[in-house]
Amino acid sequence: MPWCRHQASDELLRDFLSTGSSARSKMMKNWGVIGGIAAAMAAGVYVLWGPITDRKKKRRGTVPGLLNLGNTCFMNSLLQGLAACPSFIRWLEDFTKKSSISLTSTEMDTLLSRTVLQLLKALSSQEPTEDDVLDAGCLLEALRLHRWHISSFEEQDAHELFHVLTSSLEEERDRQPKVTHLFDMETLEKSSESTEKTISCRSRGPLHPIPSLWRTRHPFHGRLTSYMACKRCERQSPVRYDSFDSLSLSIPAVHWGRPVTLDQCLQHFISSETIKEVECENCTKTQAGDLVNGQIPESQRTTFIKQLKLGKLPQCLCIHLQRLTWSPEGSPIKRQEHVQFSEYLSMDHYKHCSAAQRLQKPSRVNKPNSTDTAVDTLSHTIANGVEHHNNNKPLTNGAFSSVFIHSPGLSPQLNLTTDYSSSEYLFRLTAVLVHHGDMHSGHFITYRRGPPSTRSPLSFSPQWLWVSDDAVRKASLQEALSSSAYLLFYERIRSKAGLRAEE
């Protein structure tokens, strides 16, 4: 090229020397400034991302980080935790797919679910991406459409944001049609197949609108059962059901030298409660039958025992450990003690069973009495007359981290194991959210499982990660179990055979 020839370079040099000294100094200063800016930009790129080869090595086996937009560590940690819940991602995929074919819904009707799905898939994919750090500001914009104005510069709570997300997703779900559209052939075929299996042609009654099979609640949705019984007549009230998205557990008082376990928090949650001065209709009717000469009976107020259980366990279980307490002066204090929890969580002892379910279950030999027996539980409580009673025997949740292996961190001579093989409601840990700091300021980080392998996308990854906004590093399960958890995410395991195949 002509600008590379020797003669042309000599002409440029003579023109530069023929200029005045002031012009030459000005030109050299400009080139110096440009060179300094270029060097600074190159150094910044190297510090932030490093060489291209190193960047790919760091990305392999980990996940992208999330940019802190001011004080958005609460949002970043929650998104990393949700990204480790495969059932929640599958529900979002099914919801957005089915709603996209609905003729009555628009893109704005499912903006939040599509935004959350896009973020979680990027945070749970093992495929290399161009960006190691993602911006989740789009989630705040989507929440504003649901009248949630969350500032990125104010400190917020990750548990509160979790309920904001689940309630807003429920709003989007409720906007969808309650019956299947005629052009949704896939859902219509599934509904037809299930109907033919249960109803014969001769017994088929009048046609009814086919409900949308995909219009189900999110996998964090569960139900609590509560019922009361009179201590005097032992008459039990009908069972009441209430919905929940997370279990908020208080931490019991710490006994000197004894650690607090997750089982103790769960047992304290379902412990029976005494309620005094409650009007009992059965006792009032009994007294009315004993009266003569048309006397008006007085309403009988007695003491009732209230029992709380889990009526429906969700596929994804979110447990919130309440670390807020109050000083005698009325100021908020954060409880810093460690609560022991395990990789596997058996919820059989906290599940409510109806009378029909109890009759269907086979009797177990050499097993402790199930706490699901409501009548027996309440009768035993009434007979003892205690103010705060719990029939659960000590379990092993929170003490060990395996289905049937040696507990890590213990002496080999102890060789303590936990057998979860007979557990019907077994969950496996997927993420732990930790808050560092006090009640006035702090920082949220996440321990989570890495993305599953491409060969078995439904399996649990054995690799754990430590994530703090845009910083990501590999961690161990023991490091996660040793943390002071604030939120715990568990995923229900279908069968023990599937569990063995994942390991």
Side-chain angles (χ1 to χ4, degrees):
M1 291 185 292
W3 58 271
C4 291
R5 288 183 295 191
H6 180 68
Q7 184 178 0
S9 61
D10 291 342
E11 292 178 358
L12 291 174
L13 181 59
R14 283 196 298 269
D15 293 340
F16 177 74
L17 294 176
S18 62
T19 56
S21 59
S22 60
R24 288 198 303 269
S25 62
K26 186 176 181 180
M27 292 174 62
M28 295 177 66
K29 184 182 294 185
N30 292 337
W31 282 107
V33 172
I34 295 174
I37 294 175
M41 292 177 62
V45 170
Y46 185 89
V47 171
L48 290 176
W49 292 289
I52 299 298
T53 55
D54 292 345
R55 184 181 177 186
K56 291 183 179 179
K57 289 181 180 179
K58 288 190 300 181
R59 176 67 181 87
R60 187 174 301 169
T62 61
V63 295
L66 290 170
L67 185 65
N68 194 318
L69 305 176
N71 282 315
T72 56
C73 61
F74 69 98
M75 177 179 66
N76 296 341
S77 61
L78 179 62
L79 288 174
Q80 293 286 0
L82 293 176
C85 301
S87 296
F88 184 58
I89 298 177
R90 287 196 296 269
W91 179 84
L92 286 172
E93 289 176 339
D94 186 59
F95 176 73
T96 54
K97 177 184 177 182
K98 294 295 184 181
S99 60
S100 63
I101 64 176
S102 176
L103 301 181
T104 59
S105 63
T106 63
E107 289 188 359
M108 297 302 294
D109 292 336
T110 58
L111 178 62
L112 177 62
S113 57
R114 288 185 289 106
T115 301
V116 176
L117 176 61
Q118 182 180 6
L119 288 170
L120 298 189
K121 290 186 71 174
L123 295 174
S124 59
S125 175
Q126 210 172 35
E127 297 295 330
T129 57
E130 296 181 358
D131 299 323
D132 284 339
V133 180
L134 305 178
D135 187 351
C138 55
L139 178 59
L140 299 179
E141 296 294 333
L143 286 173
R144 288 189 177 95
L145 298 178
H146 292 264
R147 302 174 303 280
W148 293 103
H149 295 277
I150 303 175
S151 174
S152 60
F153 295 97
E154 296 180 0
E155 294 186 359
Q156 307 288 344
D157 182 52
H159 184 232
E160 293 181 3
L161 180 62
F162 173 78
H163 282 288
V164 168
L165 277 178
T166 54
S167 61
S168 300
L169 289 173
E170 287 288 326
E171 290 181 7
E172 286 194 349
R173 185 190 66 90
D174 292 338
R175 293 199 193 110
Q176 305 304 314
K178 296 183 178 180
V179 295
T180 304
H181 199 274
L182 291 178
F183 291 101
D184 188 1
M185 300 304 299
E186 182 180 355
T187 305
L188 288 173
E189 290 175 357
K190 290 182 179 179
S191 301
S192 177
E193 292 175 1
S194 61
T195 304
E196 291 176 356
K197 292 179 180 179
T198 55
I199 305 177
S200 63
C201 295
R202 295 181 179 179
S203 62
R204 188 171 296 173
L207 296 177
H208 297 283
I210 301 176
S212 295
L213 298 179
W214 57 273
R215 208 171 169 275
T216 57
R217 293 183 179 271
H218 56 78
F220 286 99
H221 177 265
R223 289 191 179 275
L224 293 171
T225 61
S226 60
Y227 38 87
M228 298 197 306
C230 176
K231 288 185 65 175
R232 181 184 299 175
C233 66
E234 300 187 7
R235 174 66 63 89
Q236 181 180 331
S237 64
V239 177
R240 176 182 174 182
Y241 292 87
D242 297 294
S243 299
F244 73 89
D245 295 336
S246 67
L247 295 179
S248 191
L249 308 180
S250 60
I251 302 176
V254 179
H255 298 283
W256 182 257
R258 294 184 179 180
V260 180
T261 65
L262 182 59
D263 252 321
Q264 292 175 343
C265 299
L266 287 168
Q267 291 171 16
H268 187 266
F269 179 75
I270 68 167
S271 296
S272 58
E273 178 184 1
T274 299
I275 304 177
K276 299 180 179 180
E277 296 297 321
V278 179
E279 182 178 353
C280 180
E281 296 181 0
N282 187 58
C283 291
T284 303
K285 291 179 180 179
T286 303
Q287 186 190 29
D290 298 337
L291 296 178
V292 292
N293 300 328
Q295 296 180 355
I296 300 176
E298 296 181 359
S299 59
Q300 298 296 306
R301 293 187 173 274
T302 63
T303 301
F304 274 66
I305 302 296
K306 181 179 180 180
Q307 182 69 49
L308 191 68
K309 283 293 183 67
L310 301 176
K312 174 186 173 295
L313 284 166
Q315 176 63 28
C316 299
L317 179 62
C318 176
I319 296 179
H320 167 233
L321 296 176
Q322 300 177 8
R323 294 192 172 273
L324 171 63
T325 186
W326 301 91
S327 67
E329 293 78 17
S331 57
I333 300 176
K334 177 187 174 183
R335 299 187 63 173
Q336 302 283 358
E337 61 265 29
H338 173 69
V339 177
Q340 290 186 357
F341 57 96
S342 59
E343 181 183 7
Y344 294 95
L345 177 65
S346 176
M347 298 293 290
D348 294 48
H349 289 264
Y350 312 107
K351 178 72 171 61
H352 167 74
C353 286
S354 62
Q357 291 174 333
R358 290 195 300 271
L359 292 175
Q360 293 176 357
K361 284 189 175 183
S363 59
R364 297 180 180 179
V365 183
N366 296 330
K367 292 285 184 179
N369 294 332
S370 173
T371 57
D372 298 331
T373 309
V375 178
D376 295 342
T377 301
L378 291 173
S379 300
H380 184 68
T381 304
I382 294 169
N384 285 274
V386 295
E387 294 293 317
H388 199 81
H389 184 79
N390 179 25
N391 290 312
N392 291 305
K393 295 185 178 182
L395 305 178
T396 53
N397 292 329
F400 306 100
S401 60
S402 173
V403 174
F404 200 83
I405 60 174
H406 179 262
S407 178
L410 294 179
S411 174
Q413 288 79 10
L414 295 177
N415 196 25
L416 298 177
T417 59
T418 304
D419 185 9
Y420 289 130
S421 59
S422 60
S423 177
E424 184 178 355
Y425 301 96
L426 185 62
F427 291 78
R428 193 174 186 182
L429 184 68
T430 59
V432 183
L433 269 66
V434 182
H435 179 264
H436 297 291
D438 53 23
M439 298 305 303
H440 305 287
S441 63
H443 180 66
F444 283 98
I445 62 102
T446 304
Y447 289 98
R448 55 160 294 186
R449 291 187 183 272
S453 63
T454 55
R455 296 180 179 178
S456 54
L458 300 180
S459 63
F460 290 90
S461 172
Q463 179 61 59
W464 280 82
L465 304 173
W466 174 92
V467 186
S468 175
D469 291 333
D470 57 348
V472 182
R473 66 169 173 83
K474 292 185 178 181
S476 63
L477 171 62
Q478 192 59 42
E479 181 181 352
L481 297 179
S482 302
S483 62
S484 297
Y486 179 66
L487 286 180
L488 296 170
F489 288 105
Y490 282 90
E491 181 104 2
R492 186 176 175 183
I493 301 173
R494 293 290 182 181
S495 62
K496 188 185 176 187
L499 171 64
R500 295 292 186 184
E502 292 168 2
E503 294 184 337

